[in-house]
Structures are given as C-alpha cells and as structure tokens.
PDB file of all heavy atoms in Angstrom:
ATOM      1  N   LEU A   1       0.844  -1.190   0.000  1.00 91.00           N
ATOM      2  CA  LEU A   1       0.000   0.000   0.000  1.00 91.00           C
ATOM      3  C   LEU A   1       0.881   1.243   0.000  1.00 91.00           C
ATOM      4  O   LEU A   1       1.685   1.443   0.915  1.00 91.00           O
ATOM      5  CB  LEU A   1      -0.919   0.008   1.214  1.00 91.00           C
ATOM      6  CG  LEU A   1      -1.850  -1.200   1.363  1.00 91.00           C
ATOM      7  CD1 LEU A   1      -2.749  -1.025   2.578  1.00 91.00           C
ATOM      8  CD2 LEU A   1      -2.689  -1.406   0.109  1.00 91.00           C
ATOM      9  N   GLN A   2       0.742   2.069  -1.019  1.00 88.00           N
ATOM     10  CA  GLN A   2       1.564   3.263  -1.154  1.00 88.00           C
ATOM     11  C   GLN A   2       0.682   4.477  -1.416  1.00 88.00           C
ATOM     12  O   GLN A   2      -0.399   4.361  -1.975  1.00 88.00           O
ATOM     13  CB  GLN A   2       2.580   3.079  -2.285  1.00 88.00           C
ATOM     14  CG  GLN A   2       3.535   1.922  -2.040  1.00 88.00           C
ATOM     15  CD  GLN A   2       4.601   1.797  -3.106  1.00 88.00           C
ATOM     16  OE1 GLN A   2       4.604   2.527  -4.089  1.00 88.00           O
ATOM     17  NE2 GLN A   2       5.514   0.861  -2.907  1.00 88.00           N
ATOM     18  N   GLY A   3       1.184   5.629  -1.000  1.00 83.00           N
ATOM     19  CA  GLY A   3       0.425   6.861  -1.155  1.00 83.00           C
ATOM     20  C   GLY A   3       0.598   7.472  -2.532  1.00 83.00           C
ATOM     21  O   GLY A   3       1.067   6.836  -3.470  1.00 83.00           O
ATOM     22  N   GLY A   4       0.217   8.741  -2.633  1.00 91.00           N
ATOM     23  CA  GLY A   4       0.285   9.426  -3.915  1.00 91.00           C
ATOM     24  C   GLY A   4      -0.938   9.169  -4.772  1.00 91.00           C
ATOM     25  O   GLY A   4      -1.967   8.677  -4.305  1.00 91.00           O
ATOM     26  N   ARG A   5      -0.820   9.477  -6.050  1.00 95.00           N
ATOM     27  CA  ARG A   5      -1.907   9.221  -6.997  1.00 95.00           C
ATOM     28  C   ARG A   5      -1.792   7.773  -7.467  1.00 95.00           C
ATOM     29  O   ARG A   5      -0.774   7.379  -8.037  1.00 95.00           O
ATOM     30  CB  ARG A   5      -1.803  10.168  -8.179  1.00 95.00           C
ATOM     31  CG  ARG A   5      -1.909  11.658  -7.836  1.00 95.00           C
ATOM     32  CD  ARG A   5      -1.457  12.501  -9.009  1.00 95.00           C
ATOM     33  NE  ARG A   5      -0.073  12.207  -9.360  1.00 95.00           N
ATOM     34  CZ  ARG A   5       0.488  12.525 -10.524  1.00 95.00           C
ATOM     35  NH1 ARG A   5      -0.230  13.134 -11.463  1.00 95.00           N
ATOM     36  NH2 ARG A   5       1.750  12.222 -10.765  1.00 95.00           N
ATOM     37  N   THR A   6      -2.828   6.997  -7.224  1.00 97.00           N
ATOM     38  CA  THR A   6      -2.778   5.579  -7.569  1.00 97.00           C
ATOM     39  C   THR A   6      -3.752   5.275  -8.694  1.00 97.00           C
ATOM     40  O   THR A   6      -4.870   5.794  -8.748  1.00 97.00           O
ATOM     41  CB  THR A   6      -3.125   4.700  -6.357  1.00 97.00           C
ATOM     42  OG1 THR A   6      -4.434   5.013  -5.882  1.00 97.00           O
ATOM     43  CG2 THR A   6      -2.125   4.919  -5.235  1.00 97.00           C
ATOM     44  N   LEU A   7      -3.293   4.405  -9.590  1.00 98.00           N
ATOM     45  CA  LEU A   7      -4.099   3.973 -10.728  1.00 98.00           C
ATOM     46  C   LEU A   7      -4.249   2.464 -10.637  1.00 98.00           C
ATOM     47  O   LEU A   7      -3.266   1.729 -10.683  1.00 98.00           O
ATOM     48  CB  LEU A   7      -3.419   4.373 -12.034  1.00 98.00           C
ATOM     49  CG  LEU A   7      -4.178   4.111 -13.343  1.00 98.00           C
ATOM     50  CD1 LEU A   7      -5.507   4.856 -13.360  1.00 98.00           C
ATOM     51  CD2 LEU A   7      -3.320   4.535 -14.538  1.00 98.00           C
ATOM     52  N   LEU A   8      -5.492   1.995 -10.484  1.00 98.00           N
ATOM     53  CA  LEU A   8      -5.796   0.574 -10.392  1.00 98.00           C
ATOM     54  C   LEU A   8      -6.354   0.116 -11.726  1.00 98.00           C
ATOM     55  O   LEU A   8      -7.296   0.727 -12.259  1.00 98.00           O
ATOM     56  CB  LEU A   8      -6.832   0.304  -9.289  1.00 98.00           C
ATOM     57  CG  LEU A   8      -6.340   0.231  -7.848  1.00 98.00           C
ATOM     58  CD1 LEU A   8      -5.621   1.510  -7.429  1.00 98.00           C
ATOM     59  CD2 LEU A   8      -7.496  -0.059  -6.902  1.00 98.00           C
ATOM     60  N   ILE A   9      -5.774  -0.954 -12.275  1.00 98.00           N
ATOM     61  CA  ILE A   9      -6.176  -1.428 -13.592  1.00 98.00           C
ATOM     62  C   ILE A   9      -6.556  -2.900 -13.487  1.00 98.00           C
ATOM     63  O   ILE A   9      -5.733  -3.733 -13.080  1.00 98.00           O
ATOM     64  CB  ILE A   9      -5.035  -1.252 -14.617  1.00 98.00           C
ATOM     65  CG1 ILE A   9      -4.571   0.210 -14.645  1.00 98.00           C
ATOM     66  CG2 ILE A   9      -5.488  -1.694 -16.000  1.00 98.00           C
ATOM     67  CD1 ILE A   9      -3.329   0.441 -15.490  1.00 98.00           C
ATOM     68  N   GLY A  10      -7.784  -3.220 -13.831  1.00 98.00           N
ATOM     69  CA  GLY A  10      -8.255  -4.598 -13.775  1.00 98.00           C
ATOM     70  C   GLY A  10      -8.906  -4.999 -15.076  1.00 98.00           C
ATOM     71  O   GLY A  10      -9.611  -4.197 -15.708  1.00 98.00           O
ATOM     72  N   GLY A  11      -8.688  -6.251 -15.478  1.00 97.00           N
ATOM     73  CA  GLY A  11      -9.298  -6.755 -16.700  1.00 97.00           C
ATOM     74  C   GLY A  11      -9.972  -8.084 -16.472  1.00 97.00           C
ATOM     75  O   GLY A  11      -9.367  -9.009 -15.916  1.00 97.00           O
ATOM     76  N   GLY A  12     -11.253  -8.198 -16.854  1.00 96.00           N
ATOM     77  CA  GLY A  12     -11.979  -9.458 -16.723  1.00 96.00           C
ATOM     78  C   GLY A  12     -12.035  -9.944 -15.296  1.00 96.00           C
ATOM     79  O   GLY A  12     -12.349  -9.184 -14.374  1.00 96.00           O
ATOM     80  N   ILE A  13     -11.707 -11.217 -15.077  1.00 95.00           N
ATOM     81  CA  ILE A  13     -11.765 -11.774 -13.733  1.00 95.00           C
ATOM     82  C   ILE A  13     -10.585 -11.289 -12.891  1.00 95.00           C
ATOM     83  O   ILE A  13     -10.474 -11.621 -11.704  1.00 95.00           O
ATOM     84  CB  ILE A  13     -11.824 -13.318 -13.793  1.00 95.00           C
ATOM     85  CG1 ILE A  13     -12.520 -13.874 -12.543  1.00 95.00           C
ATOM     86  CG2 ILE A  13     -10.458 -13.910 -14.037  1.00 95.00           C
ATOM     87  CD1 ILE A  13     -13.955 -13.436 -12.372  1.00 95.00           C
ATOM     88  N   GLY A  14      -9.716 -10.457 -13.487  1.00 96.00           N
ATOM     89  CA  GLY A  14      -8.687  -9.764 -12.720  1.00 96.00           C
ATOM     90  C   GLY A  14      -9.200  -8.506 -12.048  1.00 96.00           C
ATOM     91  O   GLY A  14      -8.453  -7.836 -11.322  1.00 96.00           O
ATOM     92  N   ILE A  15     -10.460  -8.184 -12.249  1.00 98.00           N
ATOM     93  CA  ILE A  15     -11.058  -7.013 -11.605  1.00 98.00           C
ATOM     94  C   ILE A  15     -11.321  -7.241 -10.112  1.00 98.00           C
ATOM     95  O   ILE A  15     -11.001  -6.373  -9.287  1.00 98.00           O
ATOM     96  CB  ILE A  15     -12.354  -6.601 -12.340  1.00 98.00           C
ATOM     97  CG1 ILE A  15     -12.011  -6.037 -13.723  1.00 98.00           C
ATOM     98  CG2 ILE A  15     -13.168  -5.592 -11.534  1.00 98.00           C
ATOM     99  CD1 ILE A  15     -13.214  -5.804 -14.618  1.00 98.00           C
ATOM    100  N   PRO A  16     -11.905  -8.364  -9.684  1.00 97.00           N
ATOM    101  CA  PRO A  16     -12.235  -8.551  -8.266  1.00 97.00           C
ATOM    102  C   PRO A  16     -11.085  -8.325  -7.292  1.00 97.00           C
ATOM    103  O   PRO A  16     -11.298  -7.689  -6.236  1.00 97.00           O
ATOM    104  CB  PRO A  16     -12.752  -9.995  -8.219  1.00 97.00           C
ATOM    105  CG  PRO A  16     -13.342 -10.208  -9.567  1.00 97.00           C
ATOM    106  CD  PRO A  16     -12.431  -9.475 -10.505  1.00 97.00           C
ATOM    107  N   PRO A  17      -9.850  -8.788  -7.559  1.00 96.00           N
ATOM    108  CA  PRO A  17      -8.783  -8.569  -6.575  1.00 96.00           C
ATOM    109  C   PRO A  17      -8.467  -7.102  -6.313  1.00 96.00           C
ATOM    110  O   PRO A  17      -7.827  -6.772  -5.306  1.00 96.00           O
ATOM    111  CB  PRO A  17      -7.571  -9.270  -7.214  1.00 96.00           C
ATOM    112  CG  PRO A  17      -8.132 -10.218  -8.201  1.00 96.00           C
ATOM    113  CD  PRO A  17      -9.385  -9.592  -8.700  1.00 96.00           C
ATOM    114  N   MET A  18      -8.903  -6.213  -7.218  1.00 97.00           N
ATOM    115  CA  MET A  18      -8.584  -4.799  -7.066  1.00 97.00           C
ATOM    116  C   MET A  18      -9.543  -4.074  -6.132  1.00 97.00           C
ATOM    117  O   MET A  18      -9.270  -2.955  -5.691  1.00 97.00           O
ATOM    118  CB  MET A  18      -8.612  -4.106  -8.442  1.00 97.00           C
ATOM    119  CG  MET A  18      -7.829  -4.807  -9.544  1.00 97.00           C
ATOM    120  SD  MET A  18      -6.118  -5.127  -9.109  1.00 97.00           S
ATOM    121  CE  MET A  18      -5.445  -3.481  -9.120  1.00 97.00           C
ATOM    122  N   LEU A  19     -10.679  -4.693  -5.792  1.00 98.00           N
ATOM    123  CA  LEU A  19     -11.693  -3.988  -5.009  1.00 98.00           C
ATOM    124  C   LEU A  19     -11.222  -3.732  -3.576  1.00 98.00           C
ATOM    125  O   LEU A  19     -11.364  -2.613  -3.065  1.00 98.00           O
ATOM    126  CB  LEU A  19     -13.004  -4.778  -5.011  1.00 98.00           C
ATOM    127  CG  LEU A  19     -14.177  -4.084  -4.312  1.00 98.00           C
ATOM    128  CD1 LEU A  19     -14.477  -2.735  -4.954  1.00 98.00           C
ATOM    129  CD2 LEU A  19     -15.425  -4.970  -4.347  1.00 98.00           C
ATOM    130  N   GLU A  20     -10.680  -4.748  -2.917  1.00 97.00           N
ATOM    131  CA  GLU A  20     -10.168  -4.531  -1.553  1.00 97.00           C
ATOM    132  C   GLU A  20      -9.015  -3.543  -1.570  1.00 97.00           C
ATOM    133  O   GLU A  20      -8.860  -2.734  -0.651  1.00 97.00           O
ATOM    134  CB  GLU A  20      -9.727  -5.856  -0.933  1.00 97.00           C
ATOM    135  CG  GLU A  20      -9.184  -5.743   0.480  1.00 97.00           C
ATOM    136  CD  GLU A  20     -10.211  -5.276   1.503  1.00 97.00           C
ATOM    137  OE1 GLU A  20     -11.432  -5.412   1.255  1.00 97.00           O
ATOM    138  OE2 GLU A  20      -9.788  -4.777   2.570  1.00 97.00           O
ATOM    139  N   LEU A  21      -8.208  -3.581  -2.610  1.00 96.00           N
ATOM    140  CA  LEU A  21      -7.110  -2.629  -2.736  1.00 96.00           C
ATOM    141  C   LEU A  21      -7.649  -1.206  -2.836  1.00 96.00           C
ATOM    142  O   LEU A  21      -7.141  -0.290  -2.177  1.00 96.00           O
ATOM    143  CB  LEU A  21      -6.261  -2.967  -3.958  1.00 96.00           C
ATOM    144  CG  LEU A  21      -5.066  -2.055  -4.237  1.00 96.00           C
ATOM    145  CD1 LEU A  21      -4.069  -2.083  -3.091  1.00 96.00           C
ATOM    146  CD2 LEU A  21      -4.398  -2.444  -5.557  1.00 96.00           C
ATOM    147  N   ALA A  22      -8.676  -1.006  -3.660  1.00 96.00           N
ATOM    148  CA  ALA A  22      -9.288   0.328  -3.785  1.00 96.00           C
ATOM    149  C   ALA A  22      -9.818   0.801  -2.440  1.00 96.00           C
ATOM    150  O   ALA A  22      -9.645   1.969  -2.063  1.00 96.00           O
ATOM    151  CB  ALA A  22     -10.412   0.283  -4.821  1.00 96.00           C
ATOM    152  N   LYS A  23     -10.434  -0.102  -1.712  1.00 95.00           N
ATOM    153  CA  LYS A  23     -11.003   0.246  -0.405  1.00 95.00           C
ATOM    154  C   LYS A  23      -9.912   0.667   0.570  1.00 95.00           C
ATOM    155  O   LYS A  23     -10.034   1.693   1.254  1.00 95.00           O
ATOM    156  CB  LYS A  23     -11.791  -0.942   0.145  1.00 95.00           C
ATOM    157  CG  LYS A  23     -12.447  -0.675   1.494  1.00 95.00           C
ATOM    158  CD  LYS A  23     -13.415  -1.766   1.872  1.00 95.00           C
ATOM    159  CE  LYS A  23     -12.723  -3.074   2.143  1.00 95.00           C
ATOM    160  NZ  LYS A  23     -13.670  -4.119   2.650  1.00 95.00           N
ATOM    161  N   GLU A  24      -8.840  -0.099   0.631  1.00 93.00           N
ATOM    162  CA  GLU A  24      -7.798   0.193   1.607  1.00 93.00           C
ATOM    163  C   GLU A  24      -6.955   1.403   1.215  1.00 93.00           C
ATOM    164  O   GLU A  24      -6.528   2.179   2.070  1.00 93.00           O
ATOM    165  CB  GLU A  24      -6.939  -1.047   1.842  1.00 93.00           C
ATOM    166  CG  GLU A  24      -7.743  -2.192   2.437  1.00 93.00           C
ATOM    167  CD  GLU A  24      -6.893  -3.249   3.109  1.00 93.00           C
ATOM    168  OE1 GLU A  24      -5.731  -2.955   3.451  1.00 93.00           O
ATOM    169  OE2 GLU A  24      -7.402  -4.373   3.297  1.00 93.00           O
ATOM    170  N   LEU A  25      -6.729   1.600  -0.076  1.00 93.00           N
ATOM    171  CA  LEU A  25      -6.007   2.788  -0.514  1.00 93.00           C
ATOM    172  C   LEU A  25      -6.805   4.059  -0.239  1.00 93.00           C
ATOM    173  O   LEU A  25      -6.230   5.128  -0.037  1.00 93.00           O
ATOM    174  CB  LEU A  25      -5.671   2.699  -2.000  1.00 93.00           C
ATOM    175  CG  LEU A  25      -4.532   1.752  -2.383  1.00 93.00           C
ATOM    176  CD1 LEU A  25      -4.471   1.601  -3.900  1.00 93.00           C
ATOM    177  CD2 LEU A  25      -3.197   2.228  -1.833  1.00 93.00           C
ATOM    178  N   SER A  26      -8.128   3.937  -0.238  1.00 91.00           N
ATOM    179  CA  SER A  26      -8.968   5.104   0.040  1.00 91.00           C
ATOM    180  C   SER A  26      -9.044   5.398   1.536  1.00 91.00           C
ATOM    181  O   SER A  26      -9.669   6.370   1.950  1.00 91.00           O
ATOM    182  CB  SER A  26     -10.377   4.893  -0.523  1.00 91.00           C
ATOM    183  OG  SER A  26     -11.057   3.878   0.198  1.00 91.00           O
ATOM    184  N   GLY A  27      -8.386   4.557   2.353  1.00 84.00           N
ATOM    185  CA  GLY A  27      -8.318   4.806   3.785  1.00 84.00           C
ATOM    186  C   GLY A  27      -9.345   4.074   4.602  1.00 84.00           C
ATOM    187  O   GLY A  27      -9.467   4.288   5.809  1.00 84.00           O
ATOM    188  N   ILE A  28     -10.101   3.163   3.985  1.00 70.00           N
ATOM    189  CA  ILE A  28     -11.158   2.437   4.687  1.00 70.00           C
ATOM    190  C   ILE A  28     -10.660   1.039   5.040  1.00 70.00           C
ATOM    191  O   ILE A  28     -10.327   0.245   4.165  1.00 70.00           O
ATOM    192  CB  ILE A  28     -12.423   2.345   3.827  1.00 70.00           C
ATOM    193  CG1 ILE A  28     -12.931   3.747   3.497  1.00 70.00           C
ATOM    194  CG2 ILE A  28     -13.514   1.536   4.528  1.00 70.00           C
ATOM    195  CD1 ILE A  28     -14.089   3.775   2.527  1.00 70.00           C
ATOM    196  N   GLY A  29     -10.623   0.723   6.337  1.00 61.00           N
ATOM    197  CA  GLY A  29     -10.317  -0.630   6.779  1.00 61.00           C
ATOM    198  C   GLY A  29      -8.909  -1.094   6.518  1.00 61.00           C
ATOM    199  O   GLY A  29      -8.675  -2.273   6.283  1.00 61.00           O
ATOM    200  N   ARG A  30      -7.924  -0.194   6.579  1.00 64.00           N
ATOM    201  CA  ARG A  30      -6.562  -0.579   6.244  1.00 64.00           C
ATOM    202  C   ARG A  30      -5.974  -1.510   7.291  1.00 64.00           C
ATOM    203  O   ARG A  30      -6.079  -1.266   8.490  1.00 64.00           O
ATOM    204  CB  ARG A  30      -5.678   0.647   6.078  1.00 64.00           C
ATOM    205  CG  ARG A  30      -5.984   1.405   4.796  1.00 64.00           C
ATOM    206  CD  ARG A  30      -4.997   2.509   4.540  1.00 64.00           C
ATOM    207  NE  ARG A  30      -3.644   1.976   4.364  1.00 64.00           N
ATOM    208  CZ  ARG A  30      -2.719   2.595   3.627  1.00 64.00           C
ATOM    209  NH1 ARG A  30      -3.010   3.712   2.988  1.00 64.00           N
ATOM    210  NH2 ARG A  30      -1.506   2.097   3.522  1.00 64.00           N
ATOM    211  N   LEU A  31      -5.327  -2.567   6.816  1.00 61.00           N
ATOM    212  CA  LEU A  31      -4.729  -3.558   7.701  1.00 61.00           C
ATOM    213  C   LEU A  31      -3.515  -3.012   8.438  1.00 61.00           C
ATOM    214  O   LEU A  31      -3.282  -3.338   9.598  1.00 61.00           O
ATOM    215  CB  LEU A  31      -4.317  -4.794   6.887  1.00 61.00           C
ATOM    216  CG  LEU A  31      -3.589  -5.917   7.627  1.00 61.00           C
ATOM    217  CD1 LEU A  31      -4.493  -6.510   8.706  1.00 61.00           C
ATOM    218  CD2 LEU A  31      -3.157  -7.006   6.663  1.00 61.00           C
ATOM    219  N   ASP A  32      -2.732  -2.144   7.780  1.00 63.00           N
ATOM    220  CA  ASP A  32      -1.476  -1.705   8.390  1.00 63.00           C
ATOM    221  C   ASP A  32      -1.646  -0.546   9.363  1.00 63.00           C
ATOM    222  O   ASP A  32      -0.684  -0.090   9.973  1.00 63.00           O
ATOM    223  CB  ASP A  32      -0.453  -1.327   7.307  1.00 63.00           C
ATOM    224  CG  ASP A  32      -0.932  -0.199   6.409  1.00 63.00           C
ATOM    225  OD1 ASP A  32      -1.978   0.396   6.714  1.00 63.00           O
ATOM    226  OD2 ASP A  32      -0.264   0.092   5.405  1.00 63.00           O
ATOM    227  N   GLY A  33      -2.881  -0.063   9.513  1.00 58.00           N
ATOM    228  CA  GLY A  33      -3.147   0.980  10.490  1.00 58.00           C
ATOM    229  C   GLY A  33      -2.692   2.367  10.072  1.00 58.00           C
ATOM    230  O   GLY A  33      -2.796   3.313  10.835  1.00 58.00           O
ATOM    231  N   VAL A  34      -2.188   2.525   8.854  1.00 61.00           N
ATOM    232  CA  VAL A  34      -1.747   3.831   8.382  1.00 61.00           C
ATOM    233  C   VAL A  34      -2.962   4.728   8.186  1.00 61.00           C
ATOM    234  O   VAL A  34      -3.933   4.345   7.548  1.00 61.00           O
ATOM    235  CB  VAL A  34      -0.951   3.706   7.067  1.00 61.00           C
ATOM    236  CG1 VAL A  34      -0.601   5.083   6.523  1.00 61.00           C
ATOM    237  CG2 VAL A  34       0.308   2.890   7.306  1.00 61.00           C
ATOM    238  N   SER A  35      -2.899   5.932   8.740  1.00 57.00           N
ATOM    239  CA  SER A  35      -4.066   6.809   8.698  1.00 57.00           C
ATOM    240  C   SER A  35      -4.081   7.721   7.482  1.00 57.00           C
ATOM    241  O   SER A  35      -5.028   8.473   7.292  1.00 57.00           O
ATOM    242  CB  SER A  35      -4.115   7.670   9.975  1.00 57.00           C
ATOM    243  OG  SER A  35      -2.938   8.444  10.098  1.00 57.00           O
ATOM    244  N   HIS A  36      -3.013   7.697   6.659  1.00 65.00           N
ATOM    245  CA  HIS A  36      -2.945   8.584   5.505  1.00 65.00           C
ATOM    246  C   HIS A  36      -3.182   7.776   4.234  1.00 65.00           C
ATOM    247  O   HIS A  36      -2.300   7.063   3.762  1.00 65.00           O
ATOM    248  CB  HIS A  36      -1.582   9.272   5.443  1.00 65.00           C
ATOM    249  CG  HIS A  36      -1.257  10.042   6.680  1.00 65.00           C
ATOM    250  ND1 HIS A  36      -1.897  11.212   7.008  1.00 65.00           N
ATOM    251  CD2 HIS A  36      -0.380   9.799   7.680  1.00 65.00           C
ATOM    252  CE1 HIS A  36      -1.419  11.660   8.153  1.00 65.00           C
ATOM    253  NE2 HIS A  36      -0.501  10.826   8.579  1.00 65.00           N
ATOM    254  N   PRO A  37      -4.361   7.868   3.658  1.00 75.00           N
ATOM    255  CA  PRO A  37      -4.641   7.122   2.426  1.00 75.00           C
ATOM    256  C   PRO A  37      -3.946   7.741   1.229  1.00 75.00           C
ATOM    257  O   PRO A  37      -3.308   8.788   1.335  1.00 75.00           O
ATOM    258  CB  PRO A  37      -6.169   7.244   2.299  1.00 75.00           C
ATOM    259  CG  PRO A  37      -6.487   8.556   2.970  1.00 75.00           C
ATOM    260  CD  PRO A  37      -5.512   8.675   4.101  1.00 75.00           C
ATOM    261  N   ALA A  38      -4.068   7.079   0.091  1.00 80.00           N
ATOM    262  CA  ALA A  38      -3.528   7.629  -1.147  1.00 80.00           C
ATOM    263  C   ALA A  38      -4.183   8.971  -1.453  1.00 80.00           C
ATOM    264  O   ALA A  38      -5.321   9.233  -1.061  1.00 80.00           O
ATOM    265  CB  ALA A  38      -3.772   6.649  -2.284  1.00 80.00           C
ATOM    266  N   LEU A  39      -3.462   9.833  -2.154  1.00 84.00           N
ATOM    267  CA  LEU A  39      -4.014  11.138  -2.509  1.00 84.00           C
ATOM    268  C   LEU A  39      -5.240  10.992  -3.394  1.00 84.00           C
ATOM    269  O   LEU A  39      -6.194  11.765  -3.287  1.00 84.00           O
ATOM    270  CB  LEU A  39      -2.948  11.968  -3.228  1.00 84.00           C
ATOM    271  CG  LEU A  39      -1.765  12.434  -2.386  1.00 84.00           C
ATOM    272  CD1 LEU A  39      -0.752  13.166  -3.264  1.00 84.00           C
ATOM    273  CD2 LEU A  39      -2.220  13.333  -1.241  1.00 84.00           C
ATOM    274  N   SER A  40      -5.202  10.010  -4.288  1.00 92.00           N
ATOM    275  CA  SER A  40      -6.350   9.748  -5.152  1.00 92.00           C
ATOM    276  C   SER A  40      -6.324   8.287  -5.576  1.00 92.00           C
ATOM    277  O   SER A  40      -5.259   7.681  -5.676  1.00 92.00           O
ATOM    278  CB  SER A  40      -6.347  10.657  -6.383  1.00 92.00           C
ATOM    279  OG  SER A  40      -5.228  10.368  -7.205  1.00 92.00           O
ATOM    280  N   VAL A  41      -7.501   7.742  -5.802  1.00 96.00           N
ATOM    281  CA  VAL A  41      -7.641   6.357  -6.268  1.00 96.00           C
ATOM    282  C   VAL A  41      -8.490   6.385  -7.530  1.00 96.00           C
ATOM    283  O   VAL A  41      -9.671   6.748  -7.494  1.00 96.00           O
ATOM    284  CB  VAL A  41      -8.302   5.459  -5.210  1.00 96.00           C
ATOM    285  CG1 VAL A  41      -8.442   4.037  -5.743  1.00 96.00           C
ATOM    286  CG2 VAL A  41      -7.494   5.465  -3.915  1.00 96.00           C
ATOM    287  N   THR A  42      -7.887   6.022  -8.645  1.00 97.00           N
ATOM    288  CA  THR A  42      -8.584   5.969  -9.921  1.00 97.00           C
ATOM    289  C   THR A  42      -8.519   4.546 -10.443  1.00 97.00           C
ATOM    290  O   THR A  42      -7.455   3.925 -10.427  1.00 97.00           O
ATOM    291  CB  THR A  42      -7.941   6.918 -10.947  1.00 97.00           C
ATOM    292  OG1 THR A  42      -7.985   8.252 -10.441  1.00 97.00           O
ATOM    293  CG2 THR A  42      -8.676   6.857 -12.282  1.00 97.00           C
ATOM    294  N   SER A  43      -9.657   4.030 -10.896  1.00 98.00           N
ATOM    295  CA  SER A  43      -9.709   2.661 -11.407  1.00 98.00           C
ATOM    296  C   SER A  43     -10.053   2.660 -12.887  1.00 98.00           C
ATOM    297  O   SER A  43     -10.937   3.409 -13.331  1.00 98.00           O
ATOM    298  CB  SER A  43     -10.753   1.833 -10.642  1.00 98.00           C
ATOM    299  OG  SER A  43     -10.435   1.761  -9.267  1.00 98.00           O
TER     300      SER A  43
END
C-alpha cells in the first residue's frame, strides 16, 4: 500500500482482486493501520 496518486487497472476476472485494494487505498479498513490514504484512487 503506497500513497500518492494511484491507478488501479483490472481486466476481466482480474477485476475482483482490485476492489479490496481500492477500499484500503482510500483509507477504509486498512490492515497496516496507516491513517494517511492515497491522494487519489482511480480505477
């Protein structure tokens, strides 16, 4: 999990694994306890 402007790219059945990543990068439910989410999350 890294900050800054993040771009998530998913194709076909490769889309589902990106959903939890989008959630945690946006600052919701992060496992590592970091309180500063990515500056932006674009999928």
Side-chain angles (χ1 to χ4, degrees):
L1 302 183
Q2 299 184 356
R5 299 166 300 162
T6 59
L7 185 60
L8 279 57
I9 305 172
I13 206 62
I15 291 171
M18 311 306 290
L19 185 59
E20 180 65 22
L21 180 61
K23 181 169 67 174
E24 297 199 20
L25 285 171
S26 69
I28 300 174
R30 288 187 62 152
L31 176 63
D32 60 8
V34 175
S35 59
H36 303 289
L39 291 176
S40 65
V41 179
T42 301
S43 299

